[in-house]
Amino acid sequence: MSQEIVDTVTKYLTPNIPIKQISQGAEAVVFTSSAHPYLPTPEHDADGKPLQYIIKYRPPKKYRHPIIDRQLTKHRTLSEARLLSKLFLIGGINVPKLIATDPYNGCLWLEFLGEDLPNNSGFSNLKNFLWANVNDPYNDVVKSTLIKVGEQIGLLHFNDFCHGDLTSSNIVLARDDTQSNDWKVFLIDFGLGSMSKLVEDKGVDLYVLERAIISTHSAFSDKYNEWIIEGFSNVYNKHGKGGETKLKEVLKRFSDVRMRGRKRTMIG
Amino acid sequence: MILPQFPDYEINVSLYENVQNAADIQSRVAELPYAFIDANMICSVEQLTAAIYRTLMESTYNRLRTKTLHSEVLLALSPTSNIGEAFKKFGVKSTSERLIVVQINENGSQKIDDSLVQGDSVEFKDENLQSYCDVDAIRKVYKLDKSFQSNNTSDLSRALVDAIQLRGL
Ligand SMILES: Nc1ncnc2c1ncn2[C@@H]1O[C@H](COP(=O)(O)O)[C@@H](O)[C@H]1O
């Protein structure tokens, strides 16, 4: 981890906002903080634990011209923020709440989602959740969760949005309420997301997720991918003939994308 | 109240009900160092404090669009960048019975002058805002589509906070 990045962020967030780094990607560094940027009274979860917040920071890239770099960072920060705000307005889609947007410093504040899974199974993203169920891989909770995953992607695509990086780490599960075993499924990281009507973009989203499931959970991936597509199809099938036609188009392109992928791996 | 990212600014917020002298205040807004907001247009604490956060950010990065921090708060509440419209929609009206007064002081604290608003001072908190806010008027000003159903105040508020963060950007 780069101390320089932490120092830069601390400098403009001020030491009043404690930060803890949880991830570093090519594009962004993600921190958690116990501070809310503007609420006067602290927020608590259903168990009475104080909430924490996500700060997603896009550091300057030294190899770019500073002015171009600032414009790009502003553009990307705003693009992700706009997507999150548009998606929230669509009924049924679950994305993190946008708390603050600071385009001048390349910073987004988001609601923190998820929790630590029991038995040291890690953070509750889809990937870790499936590993945590490896001894009973086809149980009801796994099935209903994967159908809900498919429904989230279906809602996204049906409304002509694409994710752009649909891995099983970018799907986060949060408890519906503290009593039940059921999970609510959230899509996170819209850094590469876009509004798109193109079946190609949708086919690629589905393919990326299918590959992610196959590569990490290969023994069970057929069933898992089937459940995801079941949930995905449910959304389209609710919209009559028009929905069914659109569904066919997307699934057809999905299988074309898969074929192209196979060819590429056979040659390469 | 102090926002952690902007420790040099002291912020005071008061909420009044049964306001008697709204017309008088409205005629003097230009000379008074406060933002007077029609409380019916505010459904949650976060709606207002998100606008104050945005105001302080725009100020810090030299992007204020109006003359004072107080008028900028009114603009920050608005989903459009038309300043006149922001004042008209969110500012005190001669008929306002519920008012929010915001005072932002740079370097140093002051109190809101108690004698200014003739009315009952109540705590600035979600419960007191929710029960009276005009949901239809708010939805109209923020141009929320009918397809977006806000079944509770927290969903409505979230949509407003999004609009406040992204206005004009
Ligand atoms: N809203 C969130 N709630 C919880 N964890 C998050 C959130 N956003 C990002 N993360 C974590 O940070 C990592 C990188 O975020 P991102 O760069 O958005 O993909 C994710 O894989 C998550 O583990």
Side-chain angles (χ1 to χ4, degrees):
Chain A
M1 144 175 98
S2 153
Q3 189 56 40
E4 197 187 334
I5 290 178
V6 176
D7 290 346
T8 314
V9 179
T10 306
K11 188 160 167 240
Y12 83 84
L13 286 182
T14 81
N16 297 336
I17 298 176
I19 51 171
K20 200 173 113 207
Q21 184 173 336
I22 58 166
S23 140
Q24 162 130 42
E27 178 75 16
V29 186
V30 177
F31 303 92
T32 55
S33 179
S34 56
H36 188 288
Y38 52 77
L39 273 188
T41 25
E43 295 184 294
H44 297 274
D45 69 10
D47 297 329
K49 273 192 286 185
L51 292 192
Q52 46 177 342
Y53 306 95
I54 290 280
I55 300 170
K56 181 165 177 177
Y57 171 66
R58 288 173 163 80
K61 297 247 197 278
K62 293 273 159 54
Y63 55 81
R64 288 199 291 242
H65 186 283
I67 294 177
I68 296 182
D69 183 63
R70 226 170 297 140
Q71 279 170 351
L72 259 177
T73 300
K74 180 175 174 187
H75 176 80
R76 292 191 176 150
T77 306
L78 283 172
S79 149
E80 187 169 359
R82 281 197 197 99
L83 279 173
L84 289 173
S85 83
K86 288 192 179 124
L87 292 172
F88 169 63
L89 295 175
I90 300 172
I93 296 189
N94 302 325
V95 294
K97 172 176 175 170
L98 189 59
I99 294 169
T101 307
D102 178 351
Y104 311 123
N105 294 298
C107 230
L108 287 180
W109 290 70
L110 307 168
E111 163 190 24
F112 182 94
L113 298 163
E115 58 184 73
D116 285 328
L117 293 166
N119 311 317
N120 291 319
S121 300
F123 177 67
S124 60
N125 59 34
L126 180 64
K127 185 178 180 175
N128 293 337
F129 165 78
L130 292 176
W131 278 121
N133 284 278
V134 75
N135 292 323
D136 184 12
Y138 299 135
N139 73 59
D140 288 349
V141 177
V142 168
K143 180 176 178 184
S144 71
T145 303
L146 286 166
I147 290 175
K148 284 187 243 179
V149 168
E151 284 169 352
Q152 284 300 309
I153 304 164
L155 278 169
L156 190 73
H157 286 182
F158 186 80
N159 288 287
D160 289 328
F161 289 88
C162 287
H163 185 281
D165 187 19
L166 203 51
T167 62
S168 47
S169 316
N170 283 334
I171 298 171
V172 170
L173 312 180
R175 290 262 170 224
D176 232 347
D177 66 74
T178 43
Q179 307 304 322
S180 87
N181 280 326
D182 277 348
W183 295 97
K184 190 167 171 181
V185 174
F186 288 79
L187 303 179
I188 66 163
D189 190 4
F190 283 85
L192 296 171
S194 59
M195 280 217 254
S196 171
K197 287 188 187 302
L198 300 177
V199 277
E200 174 71 13
D201 291 344
K202 298 173 188 178
V204 170
D205 261 0
L206 291 173
Y207 180 64
V208 168
L209 182 58
E210 181 180 83
R211 289 305 314 168
I213 302 276
I214 292 172
S215 65
T216 42
H217 313 282
S218 57
F220 320 117
S221 60
D222 283 352
K223 201 86 210 142
Y224 288 177
N225 285 317
E226 193 186 308
W227 286 333
I228 291 172
I229 293 304
E230 181 183 331
F232 185 86
S233 306
N234 287 346
V235 173
Y236 280 77
N237 286 332
K238 276 191 197 128
H239 292 87
K241 274 269 167 294
E244 286 166 30
T245 309
K246 281 188 184 164
L247 176 64
K248 275 202 199 103
E249 283 166 13
V250 180
L251 293 182
K252 167 77 173 60
R253 185 60 69 100
F254 173 31
S255 79
D256 291 351
V257 175
R258 189 193 287 129
M259 282 306 282
R260 294 200 312 248
R262 283 225 188 95
K263 281 198 194 117
R264 215 178 314 124
T265 44
M266 268 155 51
I267 297 163
Chain B
M1 172 170 69
I2 287 184
L3 305 189
Q5 198 178 331
F6 306 104
D8 295 340
Y9 298 87
E10 157 88 28
I11 302 150
N12 294 310
V13 181
S14 298
L15 171 61
Y16 298 92
E17 293 177 352
N18 306 316
V19 174
Q20 306 295 320
N21 61 336
D24 172 46
I25 289 171
Q26 193 204 23
S27 67
R28 296 196 295 139
V29 279
E31 60 200 73
L32 296 170
Y34 305 95
F36 294 97
I37 297 159
D38 183 340
N40 289 359
M41 296 303 290
I42 306 296
C43 74
S44 65
V45 170
E46 69 172 7
Q47 182 192 352
L48 181 64
T49 54
I52 295 174
Y53 175 84
R54 172 119 197 228
T55 296
L56 296 183
M57 196 162 69
E58 301 298 333
S59 171
T60 303
Y61 299 103
N62 295 320
R63 282 169 167 92
L64 286 185
R65 298 271 323 273
T66 65
K67 288 204 188 110
T68 69
L69 291 175
H70 295 120
S71 48
E72 195 77 14
V73 172
L74 286 158
L75 177 62
L77 278 169
S78 173
T80 73
S81 297
N82 182 325
I83 297 166
E85 195 159 312
F87 286 16
K88 210 167 90 201
K89 298 273 158 59
F90 292 92
V92 53
K93 302 168 180 75
S94 60
T95 53
S96 297
E97 288 176 4
R98 303 177 61 251
L99 270 188
I100 294 171
V101 183
V102 178
Q103 179 192 49
I104 305 177
N105 300 304
E106 200 175 346
N107 306 313
S109 76
Q110 248 173 298
K111 285 275 164 285
I112 294 175
D113 180 356
D114 277 340
S115 60
L116 201 63
V117 178
Q118 291 158 21
D120 306 328
S121 170
V122 294
E123 192 184 344
F124 176 66
K125 61 174 184 181
D126 284 334
E127 293 76 17
N128 287 339
L129 295 165
Q130 262 173 41
S131 40
Y132 294 99
C133 70
D134 186 343
V135 174
D136 291 340
I138 291 173
R139 286 189 63 113
K140 195 164 156 227
V141 167
Y142 284 90
K143 298 191 177 66
L144 294 177
D145 196 87
K146 274 204 264 323
S147 66
F148 170 67
Q149 289 166 353
S150 48
N151 296 322
N152 49 50
T153 316
S154 91
D155 280 352
L156 175 66
S157 176
R158 176 169 169 183
L160 310 185
V161 168
D162 283 357
I164 287 165
Q165 291 175 63
L166 292 166
R167 175 192 50 83
L169 290 170

